[in-house]
Amino acid sequence: MACEMFTIRDAPQCRDYTVLTEPNRQQSFGYGSNSDNRLVPGWYRFQSSSYSRIVDNCIPIRKCSSDLTGWLNGEHPTFEDCIVRSEVCFHGLLNYCYRTVKIRVRECQGYYVYELNPSPTERFSRYCASGRTLSSALSTSQDSINGQHALVKKTVS
């Protein structure tokens, strides 16, 4: 995975972004008429109680309250100081990668931000989201062990 390296203190993307919060952007929502074809180019963070990142596997069409479903055709970066160039595929009727949009992705100490461009203009096309929020992924629970309480980190797949 090739990436551009920056230090956290030089990472404006991790503090200057637009938050996408629409609940129906989640991959489990069905068909709708929402589109990202008028999205202003820039850095975005996906942040909802039901999602925290762009879907990174092909999903069926007519999900995310749209028609053409956008999914990351690549990997999310694993290094905090790394920006990865990637592409989003928009799943069309007969082609899982019917249209593409070039993007960049950055990991920002526990969450991702994406440099997005407008989605393809024909039909309704939208960037779809999945995953849980960081607070859900790192939520803790108390377990009793021999009369003592231990803090256990929950893992989310």
Side-chain angles (χ1 to χ4, degrees):
M1 172 184 336
C3 64
E4 301 170 29
M5 300 297 283
F6 293 92
T7 62
I8 288 296
R9 71 174 183 271
D10 296 329
Q13 310 87 353
C14 294
R15 61 181 183 273
D16 186 20
Y17 53 79
T18 302
V19 178
L20 299 174
T21 61
E22 310 94 334
N24 61 8
R25 189 177 287 280
Q26 214 275 343
Q27 70 177 0
S28 64
F29 270 80
Y31 178 73
S33 59
N34 290 295
S35 184
D36 287 330
N37 63 357
R38 294 183 186 208
L39 196 71
V40 175
W43 287 93
Y44 290 85
R45 179 178 177 184
F46 290 74
Q47 188 175 19
S48 167
S49 61
S50 62
Y51 62 77
S52 62
R53 57 199 270 170
I54 290 180
V55 174
D56 56 7
N57 58 296
C58 183
I59 59 173
I61 61 170
R62 298 189 176 126
K63 294 287 184 182
C64 316
S65 193
S66 192
D67 189 13
L68 305 179
T69 53
W71 57 279
L72 183 66
N73 186 15
E75 298 179 10
H76 282 88
T78 55
F79 303 106
E80 291 174 349
D81 296 336
C82 189
I83 295 176
V84 176
R85 294 179 188 276
S86 193
E87 73 176 2
V88 170
C89 285
F90 290 86
H91 189 175
L93 196 58
L94 300 173
N95 188 335
Y96 72 93
C97 202
Y98 176 66
R99 294 283 185 261
T100 62
V101 173
K102 299 294 183 194
I103 69 165
R104 295 191 306 160
V105 185
R106 182 190 174 105
E107 199 275 334
C108 294
Q109 294 183 318
Y111 62 91
Y112 296 103
V113 291
Y114 305 86
E115 186 178 37
L116 301 178
N117 291 298
S119 64
T121 56
E122 78 268 8
R123 307 182 75 157
F124 302 114
S125 55
R126 195 175 201 199
Y127 296 100
C128 295
S130 69
R132 295 192 182 158
T133 62
L134 181 62
S135 60
S136 295
L138 297 178
S139 66
T140 57
S141 64
Q142 285 188 319
D143 288 345
S144 288
I145 303 173
N146 296 332
Q148 297 180 2
H149 295 287
L151 211 51
V152 179
K153 187 189 302 183
K154 293 182 182 175
T155 56
V156 178
S157 54

